[in-house]
Every structure is written in structure tokens, then in C-alpha cells.
Amino acid sequence: MVKNNLKQLLREKGLKHNFIAEKIGLEASYFSNIIKGKNIPSVEIALKLEQILGVPVNEIFKLINDK
């Protein structure tokens, strides 16, 4: 996979951050801060992202830090 940030990945997959936040059970603002790199997701949240996005959890953390 080409390295990219989480926001770009969501855009490429046609997913809105509000939709993902709802699926995970997070406030949209909290998930927005994860996308911006202001909050780091827990392992539980990262595992849910892995399932929803189809991206390995270690890549999730790389995407968050790859601004």
C-alpha cells in the first residue's frame, strides 16, 4: 500500500469521518482529532478501524503519524 495519511485514506475509500466515528462509537470531534494526529487511538479503536478500513492496525498508527 502506498503510504498516505488517514484523512486521505478515508477520502480514497469514499468514507466520511462522521460515519466511521459512529461505527466505532466515538464522538465525531474525537475521531476528527485522531485524524489530525491530536489524539492517539486506543488499541481497541485501532482494531475497529482495522476491520472497517481493511488496513492492518500497524498501518493505522503509521497513517496517523504520517502527516
Side-chain angles (χ1 to χ4, degrees), residues 9-38:
L9 178 65
L10 294 176
R11 201 176 297 140
E12 288 172 4
K13 291 185 174 272
L15 300 170
K16 303 285 185 186
H17 82 272
N18 290 337
F19 171 78
I20 300 296
E22 186 177 314
K23 291 285 257 181
I24 296 172
L26 296 175
E27 295 279 332
S29 60
Y30 185 82
F31 186 63
S32 180
N33 283 335
I34 289 174
I35 292 171
K36 294 175 186 174
K38 293 180 180 180

Side-chain angles (χ1 to χ4, degrees), residues 22-57:
E22 186 177 314
K23 291 285 257 181
I24 296 172
L26 296 175
E27 295 279 332
S29 60
Y30 185 82
F31 186 63
S32 180
N33 283 335
I34 289 174
I35 292 171
K36 294 175 186 174
K38 293 180 180 180
N39 292 340
I40 298 191
S42 67
V43 172
E44 180 182 351
I45 291 169
L47 289 172
K48 288 179 182 180
L49 283 171
E50 177 182 56
Q51 290 178 326
I52 293 168
L53 299 175
V55 176
V57 77

